[in-house]
Amino acid sequence: MSTSITPDTQSLIQELMAAMQSGSLSSGTGSATGAGQSSGTQNSQEEAKLAEVFQELMALLKQGNQEASTSPGSDTASPAISPAAGSSASATPATGSTSSATPASSGTSSPAATAVTSGTSGVSAGDGPNTTTITNTSNHDEKIGQFLNGGSTTQPTAEIDLKPGQTGTLKYENGQGGYDAEADSSGNFQSTASRLEFYADAKGVNNDDVSYIDGRNASIKVSDGNGKTAGDSQSIASDAPSNAVTKDAAGRATVTGWYDGSTQDMKDGGAYMESKLGTGNAYIHPDDDRNATNSNPMTMAQDTSQHYTADFGDA
């Protein structure tokens, strides 16, 4: 550990050196010339002064050493000042530092954040000027398939795979209609799934709605970006009647839809969804579009927007 020299100590050292030099010269001159009648007196005075200066110097050095050994901050004072004085590592932590002092920047490389970035730019399927950009807001991976009217109900014409938090886009042509649905945990598309239904006429005027008539395996909420929305983002399956809930291989729940109300499970599932969601934002019964305006799910009919955003969450 180095000991700093204070101004007082430096002054005493200089004084000591001067006294030593003066005594040496005085003694030498007197001895050489033989004319030093007062040399004995001068030498005694200089020696006394020299001893006094030396004692003061030793006292200051001793005091400095004691302060350095007893002060807890003495060894860290200099390093603490150094970064603040302009260290590039502390002045620019966002440029690549991996220390714990920069948790905000390290969070940008988390799996969720990476998934959203890559999904927005890279996950896309289908063709056409009409788009539905879907975000997976559930706690599990999702496979979203696009089914066109008149085609298969088990093999989609286009599909995207989304991690939790990831976003992807499905496209369709003017004059096409169909629905988007989520597969079960085994990757199979069931007829009991929630549906995001769409249709675009030849000019790109859309009719979009959300339907839980066949069942609800996901919450779906869709927006046209111009103030119109349909569906919901609630998770309600956990409180549904046990007879109105089925689960797939991974334990993901599906609430039984009303369909035609021909079984008690359908009636109970439809009644439960209506009690939780009402009938204004999504189809619960096949004839809900006959309801009055405030309870009619066709709030996004004849929509001039061709670009929609949707969330697929837990049932």
Side-chain angles (χ1 to χ4, degrees), residues 126-249:
D127 295 293
N130 306 282
T131 62
T132 303
T133 299
I134 299 171
T135 299
N136 177 359
T137 58
S138 74
N139 58 7
H140 56 264
D141 293 356
E142 291 182 343
K143 182 187 292 291
I144 310 296
Q146 180 186 90
F147 298 85
L148 297 180
N149 293 338
S152 172
T153 59
T154 58
Q155 297 297 321
T157 57
E159 64 180 40
I160 52 177
D161 294 305
L162 304 176
K163 299 291 185 183
Q166 191 175 11
T167 297
T169 299
L170 290 171
K171 304 176 182 180
Y172 53 99
E173 301 282 0
N174 290 342
Q176 287 184 332
Y179 64 90
D180 302 326
E182 179 183 340
D184 64 18
S185 61
S186 299
N188 298 318
F189 292 93
Q190 306 293 339
S191 61
T192 54
S194 306
R195 295 186 178 194
L196 173 52
E197 300 180 329
F198 61 87
Y199 171 74
D201 68 14
K203 296 181 179 181
V205 176
N206 274 262
N207 290 267
D208 278 41
D209 63 76
V210 174
S211 174
Y212 302 132
I213 295 175
D214 296 311
R216 176 186 169 101
N217 70 335
S219 61
I220 299 176
K221 186 171 185 178
V222 61
S223 171
D224 69 348
N226 296 316
K228 292 183 179 181
T229 61
D232 70 281
S233 57
Q234 301 180 57
S235 178
I236 64 173
S238 60
D239 295 327
S242 58
N243 66 301
V245 174
T246 58
K247 295 185 178 181
D248 64 15

Side-chain angles (χ1 to χ4, degrees), residues 23-72:
S24 173
L25 290 173
S26 175
S27 176
T29 303
S31 173
T33 61
Q37 346 24 342
S38 62
S39 63
T41 302
Q42 290 175 352
N43 287 341
S44 298
Q45 291 175 346
E46 289 170 354
E47 288 172 358
K49 178 63 175 177
L50 184 62
E52 181 182 349
V53 172
F54 183 79
Q55 288 175 356
E56 291 179 8
L57 176 60
M58 292 300 296
L60 282 172
L61 291 174
K62 183 177 181 181
Q63 180 181 357
N65 285 333
Q66 288 176 342
E67 291 175 350
S69 62
T70 57
S71 174

Side-chain angles (χ1 to χ4, degrees), residues 270-284:
Y272 174 72
M273 285 193 280
E274 184 176 354
S275 70
K276 288 290 186 178
L277 308 174
T279 58
N281 291 322
Y283 275 95
I284 305 296

